[in-house]
Amino acid sequence: MKLFLTIFISAFSVLLELLCGNLGISAGFPVYPAVYFYIAFGPVYGIGTAGVSALLTDVIYCRDLLVTAPVWIVITMSGILTVRRWQRQKPQAPLFSGMVCGTELVIYQLLFSRLTGGGMPGPDILSLLVFHSTAGGIYMLFMTWLFDAVNYRCNLPKFSSSSFNRRLPGGEI
């Protein structure tokens, strides 16, 4: 069930990234589920989600340099370090983790546009930072609440708790 959920959510986040990318907005949607899957399911799920999603995005956009995969993996790791500094039961952990990921995605976009000679991805740097950090934090917070509810119903480990024992009608798992 974990593998199915990871593949489905990863495919959906890549689809969102492609839809926004075609509109000119590089939001980095697959990074946020990668942070969630790393914390909830383990490192293989999180790093695999970030790496495969980035490679798939690079291949679909026919990029010559496949630099998105290592960058998204590093951004995922920094989001994980942010989560580990907070208590996972409180909403500040996913909120600040999403803000850190959004800020680092903007830095990556600015560096990539400078190195490749492309246009700047937004009107100015301050509005990009405010938009991506705020949207990333809110997106990560709501995504965590939604996925924790799904994982609770499917008897899977959750983001917000460090232990996985709860009372069920048929006994304890």
Side-chain angles (χ1 to χ4, degrees):
M1 188 68 177
K2 282 195 270 188
L3 186 61
F4 172 75
L5 186 66
T6 304
I7 291 171
F8 178 75
I9 297 301
S10 299
F12 186 72
S13 63
V14 167
L15 177 67
L16 280 175
E17 179 69 22
L18 293 174
L19 289 173
C20 289
N22 290 338
L23 294 173
I25 303 168
S26 178
F29 281 117
V31 171
Y32 303 105
V35 172
Y36 180 87
F37 292 141
Y38 189 99
I39 296 295
F41 298 154
V44 173
Y45 290 97
I47 293 172
T49 298
V52 171
S53 299
L55 284 175
L56 188 60
T57 304
D58 281 343
V59 167
I60 288 174
Y61 281 132
C62 298
R63 294 183 181 147
D64 293 333
L65 297 172
L66 302 177
V67 297
T68 308
V71 170
W72 279 7
I73 289 172
V74 167
I75 291 172
T76 300
M77 290 300 188
S78 67
I80 291 160
L81 290 175
T82 306
V83 169
R84 291 196 175 174
R85 297 204 184 272
W86 292 89
Q87 294 177 355
R88 288 173 31 187
Q89 292 80 10
K90 295 187 178 182
Q92 290 95 345
L95 182 70
F96 288 124
S97 173
M99 291 176 78
V100 165
C101 290
T103 303
E104 289 179 354
L105 283 166
V106 168
I107 293 169
Y108 162 65
Q109 290 171 5
L110 291 173
L111 286 175
F112 190 75
S113 67
R114 296 284 186 223
L115 291 176
T116 59
M120 198 164 95
D124 62 319
I125 296 172
L126 181 64
S127 64
L128 274 174
L129 283 172
V130 169
F131 174 74
H132 277 282
S133 64
T134 306
I138 293 171
Y139 178 68
M140 183 73 180
L141 182 66
F142 285 125
M143 185 191 67
T144 302
W145 288 341
L146 176 69
F147 291 170
D148 276 353
V150 169
N151 287 354
Y152 180 79
R153 297 294 296 170
C154 296
N155 292 327
L156 294 173
K158 299 185 308 180
F159 180 94
S160 61
S161 66
S162 58
S163 64
F164 182 68
N165 42 346
R166 63 183 179 123
R167 296 285 301 164
L168 293 177
E172 195 168 325
I173 293 181

